[in-house]
Amino acid sequence: MTAFLSSISSVIVIVLIMLLGYILRLKGWFADTFAGNISKLITQIALPASIFISVQNNLTRGSLLNLFENLLLPFIGVVISYIIAFVLVKIIKVPVGRRGIFINTIANANTIFIGMPLNVALFGNKAMPYFLVYYIINTISTWAFGVFLIKNDDPTLIAKEKKKHKIEWKKLLPMPLVGFLVAIIWLLTGLKLPTFASQTFTYIGNLVTPLSLVYIGIVLADSGIKNVRVDKDSAFALIGRFVIAPAIMILLVRLVAPSVGLDVPKLMGETFIVQSGTPALAVLPVLADEAHGDVDYATNVVVLSTILFIVVVPILMMITA
């Protein structure tokens, strides 16, 4: 019950900051370019700084091996999610132009703009190493395979043209992941970060949570919540994101890992489960538009999942308690 109440409190804080961004955008305080600007600030500067300082504060050279061993669980979870999503596409007959979006909704999560602020609110910085594990798998999954699926679901392309799309290797190393790799290298040197540098990274890194939530509020305002509708494809995508993906992770953490002798600390298990139940990727409408897909459907899924996570997170926390 304590975990449930704590999660409710954390979610309320998150919702209030999102609401601030939503209201200020509607009132015209933010220019049309503001959301894109803070998105760049978060992903290219603030988040790498936050990750760097978190690695220095929460990891040791001795714990690095265990950190990379933990990649196995989220990797298996994502693979199973992909398989189930592909099966559902066939069963419910998702039309071309929506298939890549549908599969990505189930398999890949919004770890940056919702996942990280949520994780910090629920578990504090001590859970950051476990968040980074999930973030690595989610990033590789999104840009090595997820984007490929959306681009090959372009209804304007013929089969031969679809084969031309390749993995976007540059996006496999976004700045947050670069920040993580640099942090690992620095940690291995054994050098202590100067006080001024540590404080600078800390202050900049602290921008991530509030700016991410304000950004989501702006996105919701621009999307127009009143225009959102729920159809069959949206409903099944949301079930996959909030029921199937977390259920897979719960089974992996609670049943599979212990049965094969894997040691899963409680905090790591909770982090993986909560991250598996975060909303759909905020970038889905942009990717859908680039691939001539169903942008309205992608927007619906993003907006609905962002709203519904408010209810889902306390339930997940109650289950994992």
Side-chain angles (χ1 to χ4, degrees), residues 96-98 101 150-151 153-157 286-295:
V96 174
R98 289 188 171 189
I101 300 165
I150 292 176
K151 290 195 172 183
D153 190 39
D154 189 333
T156 66
L157 297 181
V286 176
L287 296 175
D289 184 53
E290 291 176 353
H292 308 101
D294 193 331
V295 178

Side-chain angles (χ1 to χ4, degrees), residues 109-145:
N110 187 348
T111 53
I112 292 183
F113 295 110
I114 291 291
M116 184 176 178
L118 179 63
N119 221 65
V120 171
L122 292 175
F123 309 121
N125 287 326
K126 62 182 180 296
M128 183 60 72
Y130 304 133
F131 165 80
L132 293 175
V133 168
Y134 199 95
Y135 166 78
I136 291 170
I137 294 298
N138 193 76
T139 298
I140 294 173
S141 169
T142 299
W143 296 108
F145 192 53

Side-chain angles (χ1 to χ4, degrees), residues 118-261:
L118 179 63
N119 221 65
V120 171
L122 292 175
F123 309 121
N125 287 326
K126 62 182 180 296
M128 183 60 72
Y130 304 133
F131 165 80
L132 293 175
V133 168
Y134 199 95
Y135 166 78
I136 291 170
I137 294 298
N138 193 76
T139 298
I140 294 173
S141 169
T142 299
W143 296 108
F145 192 53
V147 172
F148 174 81
L149 293 176
I150 292 176
K151 290 195 172 183
N152 277 270
D153 190 39
D154 189 333
T156 66
L157 297 181
I158 60 176
K160 290 182 179 180
E161 290 176 317
K162 289 183 179 182
K163 294 179 181 178
K164 296 179 182 179
H165 290 302
K166 299 179 181 180
I167 293 173
E168 299 191 20
W169 295 107
K170 292 182 180 179
K171 291 188 176 179
L172 286 178
L173 273 180
M175 282 306 296
L177 194 51
V178 171
F180 174 71
L181 295 175
V182 172
I184 294 298
I185 294 172
W186 182 271
L187 186 66
L188 290 174
T189 65
L191 298 174
K192 186 177 180 180
L193 204 63
T195 302
F196 75 89
S198 177
Q199 291 179 344
T200 301
F201 283 129
T202 300
Y203 287 137
I204 295 175
N206 286 342
L207 294 173
V208 173
T209 298
L211 287 184
S212 295
L213 298 176
V214 168
Y215 170 82
I216 291 296
I218 295 172
V219 170
L220 291 176
D222 288 341
S223 300
I225 295 179
K226 293 181 180 178
N227 298 323
V228 172
R229 64 186 185 280
V230 181
D231 56 18
K232 172 178 62 69
D233 295 338
S234 298
F236 274 96
L238 292 171
I239 289 171
R241 176 94 299 269
F242 290 130
V243 178
I244 295 175
I248 292 170
M249 189 55 63
I250 290 171
L251 289 174
L252 288 172
V253 169
R254 295 289 177 84
L255 297 178
V256 177
S259 66
V260 297

